[in-house]
Amino acid sequence: IQHNANLQFGPGDDYQSVTNIQPVLPFRMNDNWNLITRTILPIVSQPGLVRGQDRETGLGDTTFTAFISPSAASDVTWGAGPVLLLPTATDDRLGADEWGAGASAVILTMPGDWVIGSLFSNIWDINGDTDINFFTWQYFINYNFDDGWYFTSAPIMTADWEADSDDRWTVPVGGGFGRVFRWGSQPMNANFQAFYNIEAPEIVGDWSIRAQLQWMFPK
């Protein structure tokens, strides 16, 4: 469960809240390959985009990604596969109301106490009623300390290729800290990060914060 608060959002400098429910499930296909699925279901609370418009709260569009990844241990782990956009938004302001599809890839390495990687995806509309050409890039850097603590930086950069050049990119920088711990017998992972947007569309503010809580079920 990942909560994102985008500050100074919209013409009234309000805030936008996006809470992502995002299970990651691995499956063994055979001795050589794994299938790893990630579903992102966003719950969005968004202020009016024009003055006088009320806040809208509901579901956004769901993103489903399936990564095919080698099962053998290696210094570099990678995965690639399709990504689907499902029009589950409960209001037109909370999603594109359009089916979409594209491709996604992830690569990471874990030298010593570090975890370093990057995830890319691009989604296009399927039937063309609404033009979608949306790129996402997330790099992630973790450094692990003692007692489960770690430093993390995992900003999500996006580009809407259909938007005007001035409103195309969102480029946050920042990071924070987290800890892996046990809640009774249940392994958990929690972290908090803050980001400053060095580039963003006009309606997007300068700052955002992210708080994440993860239930883990290792074999």
mmCIF file of all heavy atoms in Angstrom, residues 32-34 36 68-80 105-112 114-120 140:
data_model
loop_
_atom_site.group_PDB
_atom_site.id
_atom_site.type_symbol
_atom_site.label_atom_id
_atom_site.label_comp_id
_atom_site.label_asym_id
_atom_site.label_seq_id
_atom_site.Cartn_x
_atom_site.Cartn_y
_atom_site.Cartn_z
ATOM 1 N N ASN A 32 13.422 -22.629 -15.949
ATOM 2 C CA ASN A 32 14.265 -21.535 -16.449
ATOM 3 C C ASN A 32 13.655 -20.147 -16.307
ATOM 4 O O ASN A 32 14.393 -19.161 -16.313
ATOM 5 C CB ASN A 32 14.592 -21.772 -17.929
ATOM 6 C CG ASN A 32 15.388 -23.041 -18.149
ATOM 7 O OD1 ASN A 32 16.306 -23.349 -17.391
ATOM 8 N ND2 ASN A 32 15.033 -23.809 -19.181
ATOM 9 N N TRP A 33 12.333 -20.060 -16.185
ATOM 10 C CA TRP A 33 11.681 -18.754 -16.250
ATOM 11 C C TRP A 33 10.637 -18.582 -15.145
ATOM 12 O O TRP A 33 9.945 -19.530 -14.780
ATOM 13 C CB TRP A 33 10.998 -18.553 -17.615
ATOM 14 C CG TRP A 33 11.962 -18.579 -18.751
ATOM 15 C CD1 TRP A 33 12.255 -19.643 -19.551
ATOM 16 C CD2 TRP A 33 12.780 -17.494 -19.191
ATOM 17 N NE1 TRP A 33 13.199 -19.292 -20.475
ATOM 18 C CE2 TRP A 33 13.547 -17.973 -20.289
ATOM 19 C CE3 TRP A 33 12.945 -16.165 -18.795
ATOM 20 C CZ2 TRP A 33 14.451 -17.181 -20.970
ATOM 21 C CZ3 TRP A 33 13.853 -15.369 -19.470
ATOM 22 C CH2 TRP A 33 14.589 -15.871 -20.538
ATOM 23 N N ASN A 34 10.545 -17.353 -14.654
ATOM 24 C CA ASN A 34 9.506 -16.940 -13.718
ATOM 25 C C ASN A 34 8.610 -15.897 -14.371
ATOM 26 O O ASN A 34 9.040 -15.158 -15.267
ATOM 27 C CB ASN A 34 10.109 -16.332 -12.447
ATOM 28 C CG ASN A 34 10.858 -17.350 -11.618
ATOM 29 O OD1 ASN A 34 10.489 -18.519 -11.584
ATOM 30 N ND2 ASN A 34 11.908 -16.912 -10.937
ATOM 31 N N ILE A 36 6.391 -12.657 -13.103
ATOM 32 C CA ILE A 36 6.154 -11.767 -11.968
ATOM 33 C C ILE A 36 5.121 -10.737 -12.376
ATOM 34 O O ILE A 36 5.322 -9.985 -13.339
ATOM 35 C CB ILE A 36 7.457 -11.075 -11.537
ATOM 36 C CG1 ILE A 36 8.530 -12.120 -11.216
ATOM 37 C CG2 ILE A 36 7.218 -10.176 -10.324
ATOM 38 C CD1 ILE A 36 9.917 -11.551 -11.092
ATOM 39 N N ILE A 68 8.448 -11.372 -17.500
ATOM 40 C CA ILE A 68 9.073 -12.680 -17.633
ATOM 41 C C ILE A 68 10.548 -12.503 -17.284
ATOM 42 O O ILE A 68 11.229 -11.638 -17.841
ATOM 43 C CB ILE A 68 8.904 -13.238 -19.052
ATOM 44 C CG1 ILE A 68 7.410 -13.449 -19.351
ATOM 45 C CG2 ILE A 68 9.675 -14.546 -19.216
ATOM 46 C CD1 ILE A 68 7.131 -13.872 -20.772
ATOM 47 N N SER A 69 11.034 -13.325 -16.337
ATOM 48 C CA SER A 69 12.379 -13.141 -15.812
ATOM 49 C C SER A 69 13.077 -14.490 -15.672
ATOM 50 O O SER A 69 12.438 -15.487 -15.296
ATOM 51 C CB SER A 69 12.316 -12.449 -14.448
ATOM 52 O OG SER A 69 13.590 -12.301 -13.873
ATOM 53 N N PRO A 70 14.389 -14.571 -15.960
ATOM 54 C CA PRO A 70 15.118 -15.821 -15.763
ATOM 55 C C PRO A 70 15.105 -16.231 -14.289
ATOM 56 O O PRO A 70 15.237 -15.390 -13.396
ATOM 57 C CB PRO A 70 16.542 -15.495 -16.221
ATOM 58 C CG PRO A 70 16.408 -14.291 -17.087
ATOM 59 C CD PRO A 70 15.257 -13.516 -16.538
ATOM 60 N N SER A 71 14.952 -17.523 -14.027
ATOM 61 C CA SER A 71 14.894 -18.002 -12.650
ATOM 62 C C SER A 71 16.279 -18.244 -12.060
ATOM 63 O O SER A 71 16.428 -18.310 -10.840
ATOM 64 C CB SER A 71 14.076 -19.293 -12.579
ATOM 65 O OG SER A 71 14.637 -20.293 -13.421
ATOM 66 N N ALA A 72 17.294 -18.386 -12.900
ATOM 67 C CA ALA A 72 18.646 -18.650 -12.410
ATOM 68 C C ALA A 72 19.223 -17.421 -11.732
ATOM 69 O O ALA A 72 19.019 -16.286 -12.179
ATOM 70 C CB ALA A 72 19.544 -19.087 -13.561
ATOM 71 N N ALA A 73 19.959 -17.653 -10.625
ATOM 72 C CA ALA A 73 20.608 -16.548 -9.917
ATOM 73 C C ALA A 73 21.704 -15.945 -10.783
ATOM 74 O O ALA A 73 22.406 -16.651 -11.505
ATOM 75 C CB ALA A 73 21.186 -17.041 -8.603
ATOM 76 N N SER A 74 21.833 -14.616 -10.713
ATOM 77 C CA SER A 74 22.801 -13.919 -11.544
ATOM 78 C C SER A 74 23.166 -12.597 -10.891
ATOM 79 O O SER A 74 22.437 -12.096 -10.021
ATOM 80 C CB SER A 74 22.207 -13.723 -12.940
ATOM 81 O OG SER A 74 22.677 -12.657 -13.599
ATOM 82 N N ASP A 75 24.296 -12.005 -11.299
ATOM 83 C CA ASP A 75 24.688 -10.696 -10.769
ATOM 84 C C ASP A 75 23.712 -9.608 -11.187
ATOM 85 O O ASP A 75 23.565 -8.597 -10.496
ATOM 86 C CB ASP A 75 26.089 -10.328 -11.255
ATOM 87 C CG ASP A 75 27.172 -11.191 -10.634
ATOM 88 O OD1 ASP A 75 26.905 -11.792 -9.570
ATOM 89 O OD2 ASP A 75 28.269 -11.276 -11.206
ATOM 90 N N VAL A 76 23.075 -9.784 -12.328
ATOM 91 C CA VAL A 76 22.096 -8.824 -12.840
ATOM 92 C C VAL A 76 20.767 -9.555 -13.047
ATOM 93 O O VAL A 76 20.712 -10.589 -13.709
ATOM 94 C CB VAL A 76 22.558 -8.187 -14.159
ATOM 95 C CG1 VAL A 76 21.478 -7.267 -14.709
ATOM 96 C CG2 VAL A 76 23.859 -7.420 -13.953
ATOM 97 N N THR A 77 19.715 -9.022 -12.443
ATOM 98 C CA THR A 77 18.371 -9.572 -12.605
ATOM 99 C C THR A 77 17.589 -8.680 -13.552
ATOM 100 O O THR A 77 17.656 -7.452 -13.448
ATOM 101 C CB THR A 77 17.647 -9.655 -11.252
ATOM 102 O OG1 THR A 77 18.418 -10.477 -10.366
ATOM 103 C CG2 THR A 77 16.258 -10.247 -11.401
ATOM 104 N N TRP A 78 16.852 -9.288 -14.473
ATOM 105 C CA TRP A 78 16.067 -8.485 -15.402
ATOM 106 C C TRP A 78 14.727 -9.167 -15.670
ATOM 107 O O TRP A 78 14.546 -10.365 -15.424
ATOM 108 C CB TRP A 78 16.810 -8.276 -16.727
ATOM 109 C CG TRP A 78 17.085 -9.557 -17.483
ATOM 110 C CD1 TRP A 78 18.173 -10.365 -17.361
ATOM 111 C CD2 TRP A 78 16.226 -10.164 -18.460
ATOM 112 N NE1 TRP A 78 18.068 -11.443 -18.196
ATOM 113 C CE2 TRP A 78 16.890 -11.341 -18.885
ATOM 114 C CE3 TRP A 78 14.998 -9.834 -19.012
ATOM 115 C CZ2 TRP A 78 16.333 -12.199 -19.839
ATOM 116 C CZ3 TRP A 78 14.440 -10.683 -19.966
ATOM 117 C CH2 TRP A 78 15.100 -11.843 -20.371
ATOM 118 N N GLY A 79 13.798 -8.377 -16.157
ATOM 119 C CA GLY A 79 12.493 -8.885 -16.553
ATOM 120 C C GLY A 79 11.892 -7.975 -17.605
ATOM 121 O O GLY A 79 12.205 -6.780 -17.662
ATOM 122 N N ALA A 80 11.032 -8.527 -18.452
ATOM 123 C CA ALA A 80 10.377 -7.735 -19.497
ATOM 124 C C ALA A 80 9.045 -8.374 -19.831
ATOM 125 O O ALA A 80 8.863 -9.590 -19.676
ATOM 126 C CB ALA A 80 11.257 -7.648 -20.744
ATOM 127 N N ALA A 105 10.018 -3.001 -18.837
ATOM 128 C CA ALA A 105 11.232 -3.754 -18.556
ATOM 129 C C ALA A 105 11.838 -3.257 -17.250
ATOM 130 O O ALA A 105 11.702 -2.083 -16.891
ATOM 131 C CB ALA A 105 12.244 -3.614 -19.689
ATOM 132 N N VAL A 106 12.489 -4.171 -16.527
ATOM 133 C CA VAL A 106 13.146 -3.831 -15.277
ATOM 134 C C VAL A 106 14.503 -4.521 -15.247
ATOM 135 O O VAL A 106 14.657 -5.632 -15.767
ATOM 136 C CB VAL A 106 12.288 -4.244 -14.053
ATOM 137 C CG1 VAL A 106 12.075 -5.755 -14.019
ATOM 138 C CG2 VAL A 106 12.894 -3.741 -12.752
ATOM 139 N N ILE A 107 15.488 -3.857 -14.648
ATOM 140 C CA ILE A 107 16.812 -4.430 -14.488
ATOM 141 C C ILE A 107 17.365 -3.962 -13.150
ATOM 142 O O ILE A 107 17.136 -2.815 -12.747
ATOM 143 C CB ILE A 107 17.749 -4.033 -15.653
ATOM 144 C CG1 ILE A 107 19.097 -4.753 -15.534
ATOM 145 C CG2 ILE A 107 17.928 -2.527 -15.742
ATOM 146 C CD1 ILE A 107 19.960 -4.615 -16.786
ATOM 147 N N LEU A 108 18.058 -4.862 -12.415
ATOM 148 C CA LEU A 108 18.614 -4.473 -11.128
ATOM 149 C C LEU A 108 19.827 -5.328 -10.798
ATOM 150 O O LEU A 108 19.997 -6.437 -11.328
ATOM 151 C CB LEU A 108 17.566 -4.561 -10.014
ATOM 152 C CG LEU A 108 17.023 -5.936 -9.626
ATOM 153 C CD1 LEU A 108 17.846 -6.553 -8.494
ATOM 154 C CD2 LEU A 108 15.560 -5.848 -9.205
ATOM 155 N N THR A 109 20.641 -4.796 -9.907
ATOM 156 C CA THR A 109 21.802 -5.505 -9.402
ATOM 157 C C THR A 109 21.952 -5.191 -7.920
ATOM 158 O O THR A 109 21.463 -4.157 -7.446
ATOM 159 C CB THR A 109 23.082 -5.111 -10.180
ATOM 160 O OG1 THR A 109 24.182 -5.912 -9.729
ATOM 161 C CG2 THR A 109 23.420 -3.653 -9.974
ATOM 162 N N MET A 110 22.619 -6.096 -7.176
ATOM 163 C CA MET A 110 22.729 -5.937 -5.723
ATOM 164 C C MET A 110 24.171 -6.149 -5.274
ATOM 165 O O MET A 110 24.515 -7.182 -4.703
ATOM 166 C CB MET A 110 21.790 -6.923 -5.009
ATOM 167 C CG MET A 110 20.324 -6.650 -5.271
ATOM 168 S SD MET A 110 19.196 -7.713 -4.318
ATOM 169 C CE MET A 110 19.498 -9.301 -5.113
ATOM 170 N N PRO A 111 25.049 -5.168 -5.553
ATOM 171 C CA PRO A 111 26.443 -5.291 -5.116
ATOM 172 C C PRO A 111 26.598 -4.911 -3.637
ATOM 173 O O PRO A 111 26.320 -3.777 -3.243
ATOM 174 C CB PRO A 111 27.176 -4.297 -6.015
ATOM 175 C CG PRO A 111 26.145 -3.259 -6.334
ATOM 176 C CD PRO A 111 24.824 -3.957 -6.351
ATOM 177 N N GLY A 112 27.023 -5.853 -2.814
ATOM 178 C CA GLY A 112 27.219 -5.556 -1.394
ATOM 179 C C GLY A 112 25.935 -5.138 -0.711
ATOM 180 O O GLY A 112 24.920 -5.837 -0.760
ATOM 181 N N TRP A 114 24.151 -2.555 -1.518
ATOM 182 C CA TRP A 114 23.379 -1.721 -2.431
ATOM 183 C C TRP A 114 22.350 -2.539 -3.211
ATOM 184 O O TRP A 114 22.564 -3.706 -3.513
ATOM 185 C CB TRP A 114 24.291 -1.020 -3.435
ATOM 186 C CG TRP A 114 25.225 -0.018 -2.836
ATOM 187 C CD1 TRP A 114 26.478 -0.249 -2.335
ATOM 188 C CD2 TRP A 114 24.973 1.379 -2.665
ATOM 189 N NE1 TRP A 114 27.021 0.910 -1.869
ATOM 190 C CE2 TRP A 114 26.127 1.933 -2.058
ATOM 191 C CE3 TRP A 114 23.896 2.206 -2.979
ATOM 192 C CZ2 TRP A 114 26.229 3.287 -1.751
ATOM 193 C CZ3 TRP A 114 23.984 3.554 -2.670
ATOM 194 C CH2 TRP A 114 25.148 4.077 -2.062
ATOM 195 N N VAL A 115 21.254 -1.880 -3.552
ATOM 196 C CA VAL A 115 20.302 -2.371 -4.554
ATOM 197 C C VAL A 115 20.111 -1.239 -5.558
ATOM 198 O O VAL A 115 19.679 -0.136 -5.184
ATOM 199 C CB VAL A 115 18.945 -2.766 -3.950
ATOM 200 C CG1 VAL A 115 18.003 -3.247 -5.043
ATOM 201 C CG2 VAL A 115 19.113 -3.835 -2.880
ATOM 202 N N ILE A 116 20.456 -1.483 -6.822
ATOM 203 C CA ILE A 116 20.415 -0.438 -7.842
ATOM 204 C C ILE A 116 19.671 -0.985 -9.058
ATOM 205 O O ILE A 116 19.980 -2.088 -9.537
ATOM 206 C CB ILE A 116 21.838 -0.005 -8.261
ATOM 207 C CG1 ILE A 116 22.626 0.479 -7.037
ATOM 208 C CG2 ILE A 116 21.790 1.081 -9.321
ATOM 209 C CD1 ILE A 116 24.102 0.675 -7.307
ATOM 210 N N GLY A 117 18.693 -0.241 -9.527
ATOM 211 C CA GLY A 117 17.950 -0.724 -10.684
ATOM 212 C C GLY A 117 17.128 0.354 -11.339
ATOM 213 O O GLY A 117 17.136 1.522 -10.926
ATOM 214 N N SER A 118 16.412 -0.053 -12.368
ATOM 215 C CA SER A 118 15.606 0.887 -13.140
ATOM 216 C C SER A 118 14.451 0.144 -13.790
ATOM 217 O O SER A 118 14.584 -1.023 -14.187
ATOM 218 C CB SER A 118 16.470 1.556 -14.209
ATOM 219 O OG SER A 118 15.880 2.749 -14.664
ATOM 220 N N LEU A 119 13.312 0.819 -13.882
ATOM 221 C CA LEU A 119 12.112 0.251 -14.489
ATOM 222 C C LEU A 119 11.580 1.232 -15.527
ATOM 223 O O LEU A 119 11.478 2.435 -15.253
ATOM 224 C CB LEU A 119 11.054 -0.031 -13.422
ATOM 225 C CG LEU A 119 9.787 -0.768 -13.829
ATOM 226 C CD1 LEU A 119 9.224 -1.566 -12.638
ATOM 227 C CD2 LEU A 119 8.705 0.188 -14.330
ATOM 228 N N PHE A 120 11.251 0.723 -16.715
ATOM 229 C CA PHE A 120 10.745 1.549 -17.807
ATOM 230 C C PHE A 120 9.432 0.971 -18.319
ATOM 231 O O PHE A 120 9.245 -0.239 -18.340
ATOM 232 C CB PHE A 120 11.735 1.579 -18.985
ATOM 233 C CG PHE A 120 13.134 1.949 -18.627
ATOM 234 C CD1 PHE A 120 14.037 0.992 -18.208
ATOM 235 C CD2 PHE A 120 13.552 3.271 -18.719
ATOM 236 C CE1 PHE A 120 15.340 1.340 -17.892
ATOM 237 C CE2 PHE A 120 14.858 3.617 -18.402
ATOM 238 C CZ PHE A 120 15.748 2.654 -17.992
ATOM 239 N N PHE A 140 15.683 3.117 -8.903
ATOM 240 C CA PHE A 140 15.632 2.891 -7.462
ATOM 241 C C PHE A 140 17.031 2.554 -6.954
ATOM 242 O O PHE A 140 17.756 1.751 -7.538
ATOM 243 C CB PHE A 140 14.621 1.803 -7.082
ATOM 244 C CG PHE A 140 14.654 0.571 -7.941
ATOM 245 C CD1 PHE A 140 15.432 -0.528 -7.607
ATOM 246 C CD2 PHE A 140 13.889 0.521 -9.109
ATOM 247 C CE1 PHE A 140 15.443 -1.662 -8.397
ATOM 248 C CE2 PHE A 140 13.905 -0.614 -9.912
ATOM 249 C CZ PHE A 140 14.689 -1.715 -9.552
#
